[in-house]
Amino acid sequence: MMNTYPDSKIRTWLLPVLSGVLIGTSYIPFPPWASLFCFVPLWLFWSRQTRMRDVFWGGLITSFVFTLIGFNWMTYLLHEFAQLNWPLAVIGMLVYALIAHLFVPLAGVLWFWGRRKWQWPEKLSLGLMALITTLCEAYSFTLFDWNFGYTWYGSGVPIYHWAEVIGFSGLSAATLLCNLPLYYAWQKRKQPAGKILLMTVVWGFVLLNMGGLWLKNRLPTPDASFKTMLVQANIGNSEKLAAELGQGYGKEIFRQYAQLTEQTLKKAATEIDFVMWPETAFPALLGEDFKGMEQPQALSQFLRENRLALITGAYSVAPASRLITNSMFVLDKTGTIVPPHYSKSILLAFGEYIPGEQFFPAIRNWLPPTGHFARGNGPTALMGWNGYKMGPQICYESLFPAFTRELANLGAQFIVNVTNDSWYGSWQEPYQHMYMTLARGVEFRRPVLRVTNTGISTVSLASGEILERSPIHQPWAGIYEVPYLTNPPVTFYQQWFWLVPGLLWAMLVLLLIRGGIVGSRNKASI
């Protein structure tokens, strides 16, 4: 009998798989080797389809594959944080891969519907395919707000310096749109036009990298510096959780941080301006209402004896709601809290709050172990000590450029970030999160100090240069001399933050108008 499912059909369905592999292996910690053409196979698949459901399934296959490759740390998170056994964690990962990046099938469905409704001509249709994909990616709802721009920074490709002009989201959009000329180049690969398109993209990429180096070399010379110590004590999740639930280990955790700090100070034999401890490193409540308690007093005594100023993550209590806050404090060399402290405002869903709980309080009865934190006021004030203007952010908040932009607008000279990545393993997420955090320093040309519980702790300069990085899942402390500008200039991206989104939406409107006009003409001629 003849095969009723031809080999050509099977090969066609392999195109979405290929796109998934190309995308997944071009994101951190991999180099961006296929970023400029990773969507070409999927777009080739979409352009050949006559049914919307096939377009949807092709997009879903692509997103499923690249999520499995690029974000498989979710398996470890489900095992470690949700306490699922490994088989259930794997099932959870498969479910996550199906729903995490639905922007891909959504883009395909929107494009196919428009093409079928208005009968767009081929070139206009392909342009809209690329633009709709880009916009869907930019506005996708995802737990981990990544984009295609970060990998250029992760691999040290100089094009990343353009982030000070268009942001990493702009770099992501440019990367996706660059897939379009390479799509045409592949389609016309046997013709001179295809080779010309390919060389145009290659030379354009070279020129943009040269421009990136120029942007870096024109940065103003720092006019001040400070010395800081980052301390990573590598406290295990079980110990941290026990301390947070009042089941002991608090004094031991404090002892480990204090001991590692003292040991590093003695070895360094140098003056330190301030020390940084990670997110919730201090295992007790801090604040004016709690300064008479045993552990805050022990912390103050430790700082007085060592003549140290400290920035540390700790818990506190919101005065209005009396809920716990995930906060950051500055304490001076006398152990006195320097106001204002900062409380995290962008909370992690299902870790620090339950979405929709304010409308349906009964949800908490179904998920009792989930944290119930009060939100802070957001990036409305800087932390200060000794003349420093420090922009505070806690963990997940570093993923949002608008948050750091507000800190820059307030005049932050540098960013201080405290994080706990201990739930994610050591393979992908620590590297992804690190580069996404340090990327804010490139966009707004300010140093970023990042200290974590288990790694990766480091400092990046306004130039994007990353200094010594801590090992992962090891106790460690490092001392850095950090140059900075006392009055950092406003970057183009900071001033024109909405320029790229505005241009993308304007381009979409113009193309849709053009498509509607052409479609009307085609219908009238029938």
Side-chain angles (χ1 to χ4, degrees):
M1 292 179 62
M2 293 288 292
N3 189 348
T4 59
Y5 203 86
D7 289 343
S8 60
K9 186 72 173 178
I10 296 175
R11 287 196 297 269
T12 298
W13 279 92
L14 288 177
L15 289 173
V17 176
L18 178 58
S19 262
V21 172
L22 295 178
I23 296 169
T25 58
S26 294
Y27 191 62
I28 300 167
F30 303 104
W33 71 279
S35 292
L36 298 178
F37 57 86
C38 56
F39 271 89
V40 171
L42 176 63
W43 291 349
L44 287 169
F45 173 83
W46 280 351
S47 66
R48 299 173 186 175
Q49 303 311 306
T50 58
R51 298 184 301 181
M52 182 180 289
R53 68 181 184 184
D54 291 339
V55 171
F56 173 82
W57 284 112
L60 190 63
I61 289 170
T62 293
S63 64
F64 179 79
V65 171
F66 80 67
T67 305
L68 283 181
I69 296 173
F71 302 90
N72 55 67
W73 48 262
M74 181 59 69
T75 311
Y76 187 93
L77 173 64
L78 292 170
H79 174 71
E80 190 73 14
F81 183 76
Q83 299 293 303
L84 299 181
N85 59 41
W86 283 112
L88 285 177
V90 170
I91 293 172
M93 177 67 229
L94 295 174
V95 173
Y96 178 75
L98 281 172
I99 64 174
H101 299 110
L102 290 175
F103 78 87
V104 181
L106 175 63
V109 167
L110 291 173
W111 163 79
F112 185 85
W113 176 80
R115 184 185 70 166
R116 187 170 58 185
K117 182 174 179 62
W118 286 292
Q119 299 297 307
W120 294 328
E122 182 183 8
K123 288 186 178 180
L124 178 63
S125 175
L126 292 174
L128 281 163
M129 180 193 291
L131 190 54
I132 291 170
T133 302
T134 300
L135 284 168
C136 284
E137 187 277 327
Y139 292 94
S140 61
F141 178 77
T142 177
L143 186 65
F144 202 64
D145 195 23
W146 68 283
N147 65 51
F148 290 87
Y150 293 122
T151 318
W152 301 115
Y153 185 27
S155 296
V157 181
I159 198 172
Y160 78 80
H161 288 288
W162 286 98
E164 74 163 82
V165 179
I166 59 175
F168 280 91
S169 58
L171 277 176
S172 178
T175 300
L176 281 170
L177 291 175
C178 196
N179 279 247
L180 183 59
L182 291 179
Y183 175 99
Y184 280 119
W186 174 259
Q187 290 286 65
K188 300 179 182 296
R189 60 190 179 278
K190 296 182 180 179
Q191 303 172 23
K195 296 178 176 62
I196 292 172
L197 274 172
L198 176 61
M199 292 310 300
T200 299
V201 172
V202 170
W203 279 107
F205 184 72
V206 170
L207 291 173
L208 284 171
N209 276 284
M210 292 174 63
L213 292 173
W214 175 78
L215 287 169
K216 177 185 177 184
N217 292 332
R218 60 179 278 280
L219 291 174
T221 303
D223 57 8
S225 67
F226 58 82
K227 279 189 177 179
T228 185
M229 180 197 300
L230 309 185
V231 180
Q232 172 183 303
N234 191 39
I235 305 300
N237 287 324
S238 58
E239 288 83 356
K240 277 187 66 66
L241 189 60
E244 291 165 9
L245 296 175
Q247 298 172 357
Y249 292 101
K251 291 182 179 179
E252 174 60 20
I253 291 171
F254 173 67
R255 185 194 67 79
Q256 290 186 41
Y257 272 105
Q259 186 178 66
L260 187 52
T261 301
E262 280 187 321
Q263 289 173 350
T264 307
L265 273 176
K266 290 176 181 178
K267 291 179 182 178
T270 185
E271 186 76 15
I272 300 294
D273 291 291
F274 60 87
V275 175
M276 282 186 66
W277 291 356
E279 179 182 10
T280 62
F282 182 68
L285 294 172
L286 266 184
E288 287 299 317
D289 294 340
F290 313 105
K291 62 183 181 182
M293 300 177 80
E294 180 183 0
Q295 291 204 56
Q297 285 193 339
L299 177 62
S300 293
Q301 182 179 349
F302 168 76
L303 296 177
R304 286 195 301 271
E305 290 174 352
N306 289 277
R307 295 191 54 77
L308 277 179
L310 173 69
I311 299 172
T312 184
Y315 293 115
S316 193
V317 175
S321 65
R322 304 309 296 171
L323 293 175
I324 298 294
T325 61
N326 183 349
S327 300
M328 189 192 312
F329 290 83
V330 178
L331 294 92
D332 65 20
K333 294 184 179 182
T334 68
T336 302
I337 294 173
V338 180
H341 74 274
Y342 171 73
S343 294
K344 189 177 183 183
S345 58
I346 304 179
L347 303 180
L348 189 62
F350 300 106
E352 295 168 320
Y353 80 104
I354 302 174
E357 180 183 6
Q358 65 272 35
F359 305 110
F360 305 102
I363 295 177
R364 180 153 293 278
N365 296 328
W366 308 339
L367 300 167
T370 305
H372 193 190
F373 288 80
R375 293 181 186 273
N377 296 323
T380 56
L382 302 178
M383 297 198 312
W385 174 75
N386 199 32
Y388 303 128
K389 299 176 182 177
M390 300 178 284
Q393 55 181 213
I394 297 177
C395 194
Y396 188 65
E397 294 172 328
S398 66
L399 275 58
F400 301 92
F403 185 98
T404 304
R405 179 182 181 238
E406 290 304 311
L407 297 177
N409 288 340
L410 289 170
Q413 297 165 333
F414 52 92
I415 306 299
V416 288
N417 176 278
V418 295
T419 291
N420 177 28
D421 272 352
S422 61
W423 305 103
Y424 302 100
S426 58
W427 156 232
Q428 292 174 315
E429 194 277 348
Y431 297 93
Q432 293 172 357
H433 198 180
M434 178 192 72
Y435 283 113
M436 293 167 77
T437 296
L438 304 185
R440 306 286 81 83
V442 179
E443 291 173 333
F444 304 104
R445 292 305 188 187
R446 286 158 169 79
V448 177
L449 284 60
R450 180 181 194 253
V451 61
T452 73
N453 175 32
T454 55
I456 304 169
S457 304
T458 188
V459 171
S460 67
L461 305 182
S463 63
E465 178 186 355
I466 302 174
L467 305 183
E468 179 192 359
R469 307 176 200 189
S470 72
I472 299 178
H473 291 290
Q474 293 181 35
W476 168 92
I479 295 175
Y480 298 83
E481 183 163 0
V482 184
Y484 70 101
L485 286 166
T486 52
N487 292 294
V490 175
T491 65
F492 186 90
Y493 179 59
Q494 182 180 341
Q495 186 170 11
W496 298 95
F497 188 73
W498 301 108
L499 177 62
V500 171
L503 290 174
L504 290 173
W505 282 109
M507 191 185 308
L508 178 66
V509 170
L510 291 174
L511 289 181
L512 287 175
I513 291 173
R514 174 63 177 164
I517 293 172
V518 172
S520 298
R521 288 175 181 172
N522 290 339
K523 289 180 180 180
S525 63
I526 296 175

